[in-house]
């Protein structure tokens, strides 16, 4: 039960504890009212009211981050950067407090790699723009047309938008908003972002010493593991890539996915290795990340805390008006979605494709006042870990997620362990 979860969380602010008391009370009332002769009663979905939606999505198709070392390079023509008129949408980028847009060291790094044809590494293309526009249209159908949940025009009192401070993600968000709100906006369109040093929408190796130490050298070691090593040698030999050039399955998959999304192909033989490359790229990530609780906490725990906080504010009757939104949009990456899917217990061992989304809906039963969540991945209903069904009682969902969720103080403590060890060794 959720009471046990928060009994362990002495750091919880007063507002969260108020939410807890209210949620537990409503849960008990709901159970008393809904139990039948056999102790269970199906939920009448017609009595559920949608209260909040959180969408975490990967950016659209882009150019590769690191080209393969070969003489014949795919041409990434600058025409791929042309912006479709339908995806145009004016926006402003600020930091999380409304101040100026932070500097983006990752964009500066990508711009150092110029691909054949003139594009930079990691640039969103018009293919990716259309993918994000389509995702926006799907959200519009779900939450504007099928259910009159959102206004048909952008309303900053209803929608909060956050993205990593990387241009392809900001532009992906623009395209999604253009598909979701094709009509005139109602107020400033602001995309919030954070400094790279404190970002939680991806695993932050810069900010977390313990994470950096755990992962140090593991990606290279993964390529030497039995099975992965032999398959990597076979693929490289089949493609004519030198065995000592530092290319692993993640680099191979990145190039393959980018090329296939745009109908390009550097190696005609690449297609026969498609499934093997994806499977071994996932195996590489699983080896690098390892399967222990603390690694997953440091990778995605702060972001889970953010999602959890939004849920708790929504159910807290003491939350002031205007402090919650109906829709939260988070523009993230494959490195965000994979650990998120693992924590949720719905990872299918496939690499998250471009423009894929995880959507979390919050409902309240209008008679029992009980709260539920429903989870979707790529538009398909999912059953989260620890939940009895696709419609999951909120307390059960939060109890399961508490295993991996980290508030800022605990994140700092966990991430600082390696730094303390380094300092002691230096004395």
């Amino acid at each position: 039960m959720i009471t046990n979860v928060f009994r362990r969380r002495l750091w919880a602010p007063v507002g969260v504890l108020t939410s807890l008391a209210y949620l537990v009370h409503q849960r008990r009332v709901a159970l008393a009212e809904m139990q039948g002769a056999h102790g269970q009663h199906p939920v009448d979905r017609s009595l559920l009211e949608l209260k909040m939606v959180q969408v975490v999505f990967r950016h659209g198709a882009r150019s590769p981050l690191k080209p393969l070392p070969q003489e014949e390079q795919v041409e990434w023509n600058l025409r791929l950067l042309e912006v479709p008129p339908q995806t145009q949408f004016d926006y402003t980028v600020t930091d999380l407090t409304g101040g100026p847009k932070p500097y983006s060291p990752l964009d500066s790094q990508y711009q150092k790699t110029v691909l054949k044809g003139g594009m930079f590494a990691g640039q969103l293309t018009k293919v990716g723009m259309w993918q994000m526009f389509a995702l926006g249209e799907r959200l519009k159908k779900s939450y504007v047309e099928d259910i009159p949940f959102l206004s048909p025009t952008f309303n900053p009192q209803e929608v909060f938008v956050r993205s990593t401070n990387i241009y392809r993600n900001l532009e992906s968000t623009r395209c999604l908003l253009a598909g979701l709100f094709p009509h005139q906006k109602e107020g400033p369109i602001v995309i919030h972002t954070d400094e790279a040093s404190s970002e939680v929408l991806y695993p932050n190796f810069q900010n977390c010493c313990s994470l950096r130490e755990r992962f140090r050298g593991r990606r290279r070691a993964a390529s030497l593991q039995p099975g992965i090593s032999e398959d990597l040698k076979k693929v490289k030999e089949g493609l004519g890539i030198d065995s000592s050039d530092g290319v692993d399955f993640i680099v191979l998959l990145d190039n393959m996915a980018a090329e296939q999304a745009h109908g390009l192909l550097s190696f005609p033989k690449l297609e026969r290795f498609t499934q093997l490359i994806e499977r071994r790229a996932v195996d590489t990530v699983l080896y690098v990340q390892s399967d222990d609780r603390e690694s997953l906490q440091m990778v995605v725990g702060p972001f889970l805390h953010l999602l959890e906080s939004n849920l708790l504010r929504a159910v807290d009757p003491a939350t002031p008006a205007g402090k919650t939104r109906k829709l939260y949009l988070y523009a993230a990456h494959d490195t965000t979605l994979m650990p998120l899917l693992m924590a949720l217990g719905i990872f299918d061992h496939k690499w998250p494709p471009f423009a894929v989304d995880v959507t979390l809906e919050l409902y309240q039963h209008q008679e029992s006042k009980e709260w539920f969540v429903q989870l979707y991945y790529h538009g398909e209903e999912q059953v989260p870990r620890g939940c009895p069904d696709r419609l999951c009682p909120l307390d059960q969902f939060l109890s399961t997620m508490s295993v991996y969720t980290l508030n800022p103080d605990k994140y700092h403590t966990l991430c600082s362990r390696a730094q303390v060890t380094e300092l002691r060794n230096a004395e």
Side-chain angles (χ1 to χ4, degrees):
M1 292 294 289
I2 197 168
T3 48
N4 294 328
V5 175
F6 283 94
R7 201 169 280 146
R8 295 194 300 269
R9 293 190 179 188
L10 301 180
W11 48 266
V14 174
V16 171
L17 294 177
T18 304
S19 297
L20 164 64
Y22 177 74
L23 189 58
V24 170
H25 169 71
Q26 295 299 343
R27 172 72 166 153
R28 288 171 178 167
V29 171
L31 287 173
E33 293 180 349
M34 298 173 69
Q35 283 177 345
H38 299 286
Q40 295 183 356
H41 193 287
V43 177
D44 185 349
R45 289 177 176 257
S46 68
L47 294 176
L48 294 177
E49 181 181 355
L50 183 61
K51 293 291 188 178
M52 187 179 72
V53 179
Q54 300 186 80
V55 183
V56 185
F57 56 91
R58 188 187 179 194
H59 54 76
R62 55 156 171 77
S63 56
L65 301 180
K66 178 183 177 182
L68 294 175
Q70 55 180 333
E71 292 184 8
E72 292 297 324
Q73 294 281 340
V74 166
E75 182 173 351
W76 292 93
N77 196 290
L78 292 175
R79 288 194 299 272
L80 285 170
L81 300 179
E82 295 173 356
V83 177
Q86 295 91 328
T87 69
Q88 292 282 9
F89 204 83
D90 292 335
Y91 66 91
T92 301
V93 182
T94 73
D95 65 15
L96 296 182
T97 63
K101 176 183 179 296
Y103 167 71
S104 176
L106 288 173
D107 277 335
S108 298
Q109 179 180 328
Y110 294 137
Q111 291 172 10
K112 294 178 181 177
T113 302
V114 181
L115 307 174
K116 180 181 178 181
M119 286 181 60
F120 295 130
Q123 278 193 286
L124 182 73
T125 66
K126 60 183 178 183
V127 173
M129 296 178 199
W130 278 121
Q131 289 176 331
M132 298 310 304
F133 184 80
L135 176 57
E137 287 190 311
R138 174 158 67 80
L139 296 176
K140 174 168 67 74
K141 185 178 187 306
S142 296
Y143 304 116
V144 178
E145 297 173 353
D146 292 350
I147 303 174
F149 179 65
L150 296 173
S151 302
T153 53
F154 182 91
N155 185 344
Q157 298 303 311
E158 292 184 345
V159 184
F160 178 82
V161 188
R162 178 170 172 178
S163 169
T164 58
N165 190 24
I166 299 174
Y167 191 61
R168 64 175 174 270
N169 275 44
L170 297 171
E171 287 290 275
S172 291
T173 305
R174 166 183 64 80
C175 298
L176 183 152
L177 289 170
L180 177 55
F181 300 110
H183 305 293
Q184 186 175 355
K185 61 189 180 185
E186 287 181 3
I189 310 298
V190 177
I191 300 177
H192 301 82
T193 191
D194 199 5
E195 298 279 355
S197 60
S198 52
E199 183 61 82
V200 300
L201 298 193
Y202 52 65
N204 198 323
F205 298 96
Q206 178 183 352
N207 192 36
C208 188
C209 293
S210 296
L211 187 62
R212 188 167 61 248
E213 283 301 306
R214 286 186 183 223
F215 284 31
R216 190 189 302 274
R218 288 188 66 84
R219 179 167 170 178
R220 183 173 182 179
S223 296
L224 303 177
Q225 297 306 301
I228 296 179
S229 175
E230 291 82 0
D231 285 342
L232 183 60
K233 180 180 179 181
K234 178 174 68 175
V235 172
K236 282 188 172 184
E237 287 178 351
L239 300 179
I241 298 176
D242 190 272
S243 60
S244 61
D245 53 22
V247 172
D248 62 10
F249 276 112
I250 295 178
V251 174
L252 287 168
L253 178 65
D254 185 70
N255 279 267
M256 183 182 72
E259 291 176 10
Q260 289 180 344
H262 298 88
L264 304 172
L265 197 62
S266 57
F267 291 106
K269 298 179 181 179
L270 193 62
E271 286 187 312
R272 70 186 179 99
F273 293 117
T274 297
Q275 293 183 350
L276 176 62
I277 290 174
E278 180 181 8
R279 177 164 57 85
R280 286 309 191 184
V282 171
D283 290 342
T284 299
V285 169
L286 294 177
Y287 176 85
V288 171
Q289 187 169 291
S290 71
D291 195 26
D292 65 286
R293 173 187 171 188
E294 283 195 350
S295 291
L296 204 53
Q297 283 180 320
M298 288 185 287
V299 166
V300 77
F303 184 42
L304 282 172
H305 173 69
L306 186 61
L307 300 176
E308 175 195 70
S309 298
N310 293 338
L311 290 169
L312 290 174
R313 276 196 302 271
V315 304
D316 185 356
T319 300
K323 290 298 182 181
T324 61
R325 299 290 187 271
K326 287 186 173 183
L327 175 65
Y328 291 85
L329 295 172
Y330 295 103
H333 303 265
D334 48 4
T335 54
T336 317
L337 286 163
M338 289 181 74
L340 178 61
L341 295 171
M342 292 176 199
L344 293 170
I346 61 171
F347 183 51
D348 58 4
H349 288 263
K350 295 180 181 179
W351 201 275
F354 295 124
V356 74
D357 68 292
V358 172
T359 296
L360 183 63
E361 298 176 337
L362 176 67
Y363 290 90
Q364 186 177 31
H365 195 281
Q366 292 308 287
E367 290 184 354
S368 70
K369 303 304 179 184
E370 187 179 10
W371 293 91
F372 296 91
V373 296
Q374 183 140 13
L375 184 68
Y376 297 84
Y377 178 56
H378 216 347
E380 299 292 330
E381 291 181 328
Q382 305 291 323
V383 179
R385 176 188 285 119
C387 292
D389 197 0
R390 291 173 295 181
L391 190 65
C392 184
L394 178 59
D395 60 340
Q396 293 186 29
F397 178 78
L398 292 178
S399 178
T400 301
M401 289 305 98
S402 69
V403 175
Y404 303 107
T405 302
L406 284 184
N407 71 76
D409 290 340
K410 288 190 175 182
Y411 177 67
H412 177 73
T413 300
L414 197 58
C415 286
S416 299
R417 288 180 183 174
Q419 190 173 21
V420 170
T421 302
E422 288 175 359
L423 291 173
R424 285 176 179 172
N425 292 338
E427 291 177 354

